[in-house]
Amino acid sequence: MKQKLKQIAQSPKTKQALIAMKPEKSVWGFLGIVLFLIVPEIIAFIYSIEITAYAQKALLSSPAWYEKYYFDFLIMLFEEGGSWFNLAIAMALLIWFFF
């Protein structure tokens, strides 16, 4: 098993795939990581209680079917706050961006 993993890690195709996944070194690459990965998690840590309370209150007013799905989705996303795992992945991408 270790030998197979070592072969995969040293494979030129694996190295090429890692290069293709690396964020582009530009303002847009940096903003993409920050705006789409880090900022939503910070918002989830700070405002999760308020967002779920708002969605639960809105569900009580018997919204239309598409609003019900929207508010259920908000509750599902924010009921547990932010994800440390997602934030760690975003920070790893940000560090990888600079190297």
Side-chain angles (χ1 to χ4, degrees):
M1 183 72 175
K2 287 183 182 182
Q3 183 68 11
K4 184 68 175 175
L5 288 175
K6 197 174 201 179
Q7 286 177 340
I8 291 172
Q10 294 176 350
S11 169
K13 288 185 179 181
T14 305
K15 292 177 183 179
Q16 189 177 29
L18 282 172
I19 290 169
M21 286 185 344
K22 187 172 182 177
E24 183 180 336
K25 284 194 175 185
S26 69
V27 173
W28 295 112
F30 176 76
L31 287 176
I33 294 170
V34 171
L35 292 177
F36 292 109
L37 296 172
I38 296 175
V39 170
E41 290 301 323
I42 292 172
I43 289 171
F45 280 116
I46 296 172
Y47 295 112
S48 64
I49 295 170
E50 291 87 354
I51 292 171
T52 53
Y54 163 76
Q56 288 171 346
K57 185 177 177 184
L59 276 175
L60 295 176
S61 66
S62 66
W65 64 272
Y66 55 90
E67 289 177 337
K68 181 185 180 314
Y69 287 123
Y70 171 71
F71 292 127
D72 284 338
F73 187 66
L74 276 179
I75 292 171
M76 181 185 68
L77 280 175
F78 292 104
E79 70 186 344
E80 295 180 13
S83 169
W84 288 104
F85 182 72
N86 289 345
L87 196 57
I89 289 173
M91 295 310 275
L93 275 174
L94 197 60
I95 291 169
W96 190 24
F97 175 79
F98 288 110
F99 291 103

